[in-house]
Amino acid sequence: MRLLIASTTKPYTTATTPQPPESSVNHTEVSHFSALAASWWDPYGSSRLLHLMNPLRHDFLRRCLSASPPDPAQKLDILDIGCGGGIFAESAARLSMAQSVTAIDPTPECIAVAKRHQRSDPLLMEAGRLNYLQTSIEELHNHTTTANSAGARGDREMKQYDIITLFEVIEHIRRPYPFLSSILPHLKPGGWLIGSTIARHPVSWFTTKLMAEDVLGLVPRGTHEWSQYLIPGEIREWARREAELNTSEGLGWRTMGVVYVPGIGWREVRGSEEVGNYFFGVRKRGDGV
Amino acid sequence: MASTALLRRVLALPPHLRRSVYSSATTYHGASQPDIYDVVCIGGGPVGLSFVSALRSHPSTSALRVALIDSQDLSTARTTKDTETFSNRCSSLTPASLRFLKQIGAWEHAKKERTQPYHAMDVWDGVSGSKIHFDSVDQQQTGLLDAVAEMIPGSRFQASRRKYEVEDVGVATMCENANTTSALLQRLHELDEERSKDRLIFDMLEKTRVESIDLGPESKDKESLDLSQWPIVTTSHGRIAARLLVGADGANSPVRQFADIPSPGWDYNQHGVVATLDLDQQSTAQNLRTAYQRFLPTGPVALLPLPGNKASLVWSTTPQHAAKLKTLSRPDFTAAVNAAFRLMPLAWRENATPAASTGLPRNFPRIASVQEGSIASFPLRMRHADTYTGHRIALIGDAAHTIHPLAGQGLNLGLADAEYLAQRIAYGVDHGMDVGSCWTLDGYNSDRWAKNNAVIGVVDKLSKIYGVGSGPVVWGRSAGVEVLERLGTLKGWMMGAAAGVK
Ligand SMILES: Cc1cc2nc3c(=O)[nH]c(=O)nc-3n(C[C@H](O)[C@H](O)[C@H](O)COP(=O)(O)OP(=O)(O)OC[C@H]3O[C@@H](n4cnc5c(N)ncnc54)[C@H](O)[C@@H]3O)c2cc1C
């Protein structure tokens, strides 16, 4: 069998744990990951699999939005949590449907790399199109409310987004449910929270811990904490407990399992969401939906 | 400092590009900010124009800001109204090329009365008289390409194997390049009218010479826009920056030179003599037409049908012979062409040679005269760029490859490049990619390079097998042709090549 379930979690990522009043950022992990910052935009570096996966993120996003397609004239505000070097954030900011992308990561080196790369694209340098912030989700309102106070309506509450993305992040979070819940106030009614992660399953232990870290060394050892992985059912259970989320299949809840096939690339494989990499999307109720 | 090293890695280029990038980055002195485009296409030949039309026709790419630059006045490329004269620059368009031109809305603007489909091709060996007849039914056979892959050592034809598209058009359709070009220009004009409100996004820069291509300036500080890895095209009209610079600029491609992409190959030591001919047979649109090609020791000579009693000649021969042919009077040239198709090469006296023994097909027309001023010649070479892409660079058409005209594939390969690159860009736009990055371009390079290389390899080998006048190769090749005529599979291969395997 040449079919592998690949581990492509980010080589470094946000390590946000919601434990106020202390900073939610785990500094050991932040410094561990920042050492790898140079490789984000190297096409043959350790982020290659993430680059290759990026188109599928867009395919999945579009599939979620198809539940009730937004009016093309209405441009969307997007928040990307754990943006790393900006692979998804940049691509989202180029979409014709995007009004703005706010991309956050607590690792300073990530934000530095992301900003440096942003400068090589005049489109992304247009005012307001792509904003990187070195922050955690808990601190975000401190940045955006000030940034937004000059906005049209002078919002008293924190800025809300049409789409919030969370790619390859929650497997690094020690207490994922409070973390997920802390995101919801940032989501507009009717908006989608979209993420990707790896399911906890013997297969994913084999591929992401044993093969990717120990045997092949594709990603640094300690990148994954297999026991923290969530299976799709667990995320859906969390979503059902959140009254403001719509979890009915297709309209408010979606998953898509993807598999990396060496030599071919990432492919959607039905059912694989139970054993390896998968996307999930869940929608906030409201605005007539 | 660490950040310099980082920058280098972040902006990593393929090694063959690096040299030109760093050398020119330091020599650039730009004052004002260049005008920024998503796609700058240099070259408004049939390939460049079809590429730009494809971008402008597709909903995902129609909003890209595109510039097309050509040093020529493209409006003069129109065909003449006169139906009695035809340009000597004609190409046989395969069904795959026609489908592409229809899909982008260009073919409906072509003057159909000036195009000529043909339904069969007769090929025979001028030394042994062995012959092989192809017709469009053969296309439907399967496994043809595999057969050839086995026949020709080293051929990578299998890599390009695909099902043929069987259409009603027969083997291929002869069309003057100017007819194709002016259809594409009309289509671009039509698209401009449709979208006149956002006129800014497409600029046709004709009669504009590319003076230089450099990389952009280093940015002044660590905050502002950094175009140091963007190609900046300086023309007689100013400077423009390209997110993606496409070289559709022909065999001597300035874009390829800027990107420092080697394009190895060899000269065939042959020239292609082209001319427009009058035949003694008059046909109507209803007649089924045949193309003819005879392999002579000096190279192949081909007669390709045009409407009425017209035909297009492509005669590949030695440079000396080509030079001689161009000096002949029209009646003498006509006699030479008749001889090339009808005589045994060493005899050159028609009545001494019984026609059937030369392999001459029945119904083969006699050439009555040659159109005034239509005789021209060009050197034949084989070139294939090592890669079609670099950082913010893509090559299409003759800029990427030139091949021997014996299978009539040059333009068809270029149109397929244009179609595929435009498709990749549409995919890139839909997925938020930087369309100048390797994430968009790699797929174009890997797909088209392998396919073209397979065709180039087979055409090159055929031209070599048939480029030798005597000895075992002649014996071997005529035996080969006869065996294959019976097998039917090689026929299918050549049909596949002529009809355009997509
Ligand atoms: C006489 C002849 C007969 C042929 N017959 C056939 C045939 O039967 N079938 C077939 O498939 N192929 C045939 N070919 C090959 C075919 O014509 C080419 O493959 C085809 O024209 C390639 O198109 P292109 O657009 O890539 O390049 P070109 O047609 O060469 O166009 C290049 C364009 O780039 C422009 N350009 C170049 N440099 C610059 C610059 N510095 N600044 C601005 N503009 C620039 C030129 O003005 C030109 O318009 C033939 C070729 C020749 C020469």
Side-chain angles (χ1 to χ4, degrees), chain B residues 324-364:
Chain B
K324 182 90 201 311
L325 284 171
K326 285 204 288 183
T327 64
L328 296 180
S329 68
R330 286 166 61 206
D332 288 351
F333 185 86
T334 306
V337 176
N338 275 316
F341 281 104
R342 291 165 181 275
L343 300 192
M344 287 311 280
L346 300 177
W348 288 130
R349 276 179 303 126
E350 193 169 349
N351 46 14
T353 320
S357 73
T358 67
L360 187 74
R362 265 184 296 137
N363 302 328
F364 183 81

Side-chain angles (χ1 to χ4, degrees), chain A residues 73-154:
Chain A
Q74 189 219 329
K75 305 289 180 198
L76 308 178
D77 290 318
I78 300 168
L79 171 65
D80 184 32
I81 301 175
C83 64
I87 296 174
F88 177 75
E90 279 201 359
S91 65
R94 286 194 192 95
L95 297 178
S96 56
M97 67 177 178
Q99 168 81 38
S100 76
V101 173
T102 303
I104 65 170
D105 201 296
T107 309
E109 283 76 6
C110 287
I111 295 297
V113 167
K115 282 185 167 171
R116 192 174 300 143
H117 197 261
Q118 176 184 18
R119 288 170 45 215
S120 62
D121 189 336
L123 179 76
L124 303 179
M125 293 296 279
E126 284 176 5
R129 188 177 280 272
L130 174 58
N131 301 308
Y132 286 109
L133 297 171
Q134 188 215 319
T135 182
S136 62
I137 184 72
E138 297 85 351
E139 304 292 319
L140 174 62
H141 63 278
N142 292 335
H143 297 264
T144 49
T145 40
T146 45
N148 240 36
S149 56
R153 266 166 288 157

Side-chain angles (χ1 to χ4, degrees), chain A residues 116, chain B residues 1-8 222:
Chain A
R116 192 174 300 143
Chain B
M1 224 189 93
S3 69
T4 332
L6 181 68
L7 186 67
R8 265 167 216 261
K222 298 225 178 296

Side-chain angles (χ1 to χ4, degrees), chain A residues 80-264:
Chain A
D80 184 32
I81 301 175
C83 64
I87 296 174
F88 177 75
E90 279 201 359
S91 65
R94 286 194 192 95
L95 297 178
S96 56
M97 67 177 178
Q99 168 81 38
S100 76
V101 173
T102 303
I104 65 170
D105 201 296
T107 309
E109 283 76 6
C110 287
I111 295 297
V113 167
K115 282 185 167 171
R116 192 174 300 143
H117 197 261
Q118 176 184 18
R119 288 170 45 215
S120 62
D121 189 336
L123 179 76
L124 303 179
M125 293 296 279
E126 284 176 5
R129 188 177 280 272
L130 174 58
N131 301 308
Y132 286 109
L133 297 171
Q134 188 215 319
T135 182
S136 62
I137 184 72
E138 297 85 351
E139 304 292 319
L140 174 62
H141 63 278
N142 292 335
H143 297 264
T144 49
T145 40
T146 45
N148 240 36
S149 56
R153 266 166 288 157
D155 304 335
R156 267 171 294 119
E157 293 173 10
M158 70 173 98
K159 179 175 164 66
Q160 289 186 319
Y161 299 87
D162 300 284
I163 296 167
I164 299 183
T165 55
L166 192 66
F167 293 121
E168 321 301 327
V169 170
I170 47 171
E171 63 272 24
H172 301 275
I173 308 286
R174 244 169 281 142
R175 293 171 56 218
Y177 302 122
F179 169 73
L180 285 168
S181 300
S182 74
I183 294 169
L184 297 182
H186 298 272
L187 193 59
K188 274 188 200 165
W192 282 89
L193 171 63
I194 289 169
S196 60
T197 187
I198 312 170
R200 189 176 70 255
H201 186 275
V203 171
S204 66
W205 177 83
F206 179 77
T207 55
T208 67
K209 287 304 288 183
L210 186 71
M211 296 304 285
E213 288 188 19
D214 297 345
V215 179
L216 300 174
L218 288 175
V219 295
R221 214 172 269 224
T223 300
H224 302 100
E225 195 51 69
W226 180 75
S227 60
Q228 290 177 15
Y229 292 2
L230 299 181
I231 60 172
E234 289 166 340
I235 297 182
R236 196 172 187 180
E237 269 315 304
W238 160 79
R240 286 201 172 108
R241 291 195 299 271
E242 297 286 347
E244 49 185 348
L245 293 180
N246 176 350
T247 55
S248 62
E249 189 69 42
L251 296 172
W253 172 260
R254 264 186 191 279
T255 58
M256 175 171 101
V258 294
V259 170
Y260 181 73
V261 188
I264 295 184

Side-chain angles (χ1 to χ4, degrees), chain B residues 188-205:
Chain B
L188 283 170
H189 188 70
E190 177 183 74
L191 285 163
D192 249 12
E193 305 271 280
E194 279 173 25
R195 302 180 216 280
S196 54
K197 54 184 184 311
D198 46 22
R199 220 184 181 97
L200 254 184
I201 66 174
F202 177 58
D203 282 320
M204 175 88 91
L205 307 170

Side-chain angles (χ1 to χ4, degrees), chain B residues 160-181:
Chain B
S160 71
R161 187 155 53 95
R162 279 249 194 119
K163 282 218 173 71
Y164 302 126
E165 266 188 52
V166 181
E167 283 196 22
D168 53 0
V169 276
V171 176
T173 300
M174 287 301 293
C175 182
E176 295 156 290
N177 285 6
N179 195 358
T180 311
T181 313

Side-chain angles (χ1 to χ4, degrees), chain B residues 42-48 69-72 74 88-92 177 208-210 248-251 254 274 304 314 378 396-399 405 408-412:
Chain B
I42 301 186
V47 173
I69 303 176
D70 202 296
S71 46
Q72 298 179 30
L74 296 178
N88 59 8
R89 286 212 62 175
C90 295
S91 298
S92 67
N177 285 6
T208 303
R209 269 205 67 78
V210 171
D249 42 0
V274 294
L304 300 143
V314 183
F378 54 97
I396 57 178
D398 276 22
Q409 289 307 294
L411 178 57
N412 293 300

